[in-house]
Amino acid sequence: MEAKDKFTLGLELPTDPRWVNIAETHLEDILVDHAYCEQKAASSCISLIVLYPEKDLLVERLSPIVAEEWSHFERVLAELRKRGWSLGRQRKDEYVEKLSRVIQKGGSREQQLMEKLLMNALIEARSCERFKILWKHIPDQELAEFYHELMISEAGHYKNFLQLAKEYMPEEVVMNRWHELLEQEAEIVKGLGLRGDRMH
Ligand SMILES: [Fe+2]
Ligand SMILES: [Fe+2]
C-alpha cells in the first residue's frame, strides 16, 4: 500500500504550504522559537547521556550532537541580535508536549530508551522538513543558506537517533513503533493547525 504520496523522511503529513508565508511575517517569533528548539535538542541529548551512561555507543554518538545543537542555538541568537531582537522567554511548545504524551512510559530500560530516541527522531524529521520549506522560500539569502545547512544537519541527527534505537532494540520492533509514531505525529500536526509563529 505505497499509493500514499510519501515525502521527506517518512513523515505522514506534509506541512501546509501556507505555513511559510505566515512564518515569514513572524520572523522574530520563528527565530525565538527556533532558538529554543536548538536548546531543547541539546538538552535532550545531554539527558540521554546522563540517563544511559553505560551505553558507550550512545554516549559517543550523542556527545558531538550536543555541541552541534548548541552551536545552532548560538547562530540563531546571532540572527536575532543582527535584527535587534532578544531571545525572550520560551513559549509553550504544544508540539513537543503532545508528542511526549504519545510516548509510552514504563517497560524495560531499553524500551524506554527506544521511545525517547524515536521521539527525538520525529522532532528532527519534522524540523528538517520545516527547514527545507524555509530554505526554499525565505527571501533573505543568508538566512535561507543557514536553513539549508540546518536541514542537512537535522537529517543526519534523525538518522542517528533511528540507528541508535536499532542498536538497543530489535529492528522490527523499532520500525513497527516508528510507523505507529509517524501516524500519531501526523495527527498531532493536523490537530495543532496552522501557526506561523512556531517552528512546529
Ligand atoms: Fe539543530
Ligand atoms: Fe538536530
Side-chain angles (χ1 to χ4, degrees), residues 53-74:
E54 79 283 9
K55 304 217 181 297
D56 294 335
L57 189 69
L58 178 140
V59 174
E60 192 189 308
R61 294 252 175 99
L62 296 188
S63 301
I65 299 185
V66 173
E68 217 179 303
E69 302 291 21
W70 198 253
S71 78
H72 293 168
F73 174 81
E74 289 188 289

Side-chain angles (χ1 to χ4, degrees), residues 69 124 154 157:
E69 302 291 21
E124 295 284 359
E154 313 306 1
H157 298 162

Side-chain angles (χ1 to χ4, degrees), residues 2 4 6-14 95 99 102-103 115 118-119 121-126 158 162 174-190:
E2 279 306 308
K4 196 188 278 180
K6 291 272 179 183
F7 69 112
T8 36
L9 309 157
L11 294 172
E12 293 281 336
L13 182 79
Y95 174 71
L99 264 188
V102 300
I103 289 303
E115 293 290 315
L118 292 183
M119 177 166 163
L122 275 178
I123 300 171
E124 295 284 359
R126 181 59 73 187
Y158 147 84
L162 214 51
V174 173
M175 291 319 285
N176 285 339
R177 185 65 183 130
W178 176 240
H179 289 293
E180 268 176 29
L181 284 170
L182 282 171
E183 280 174 28
Q184 287 168 313
E185 196 265 355
E187 284 305 311
I188 290 170
V189 170
K190 214 185 285 172

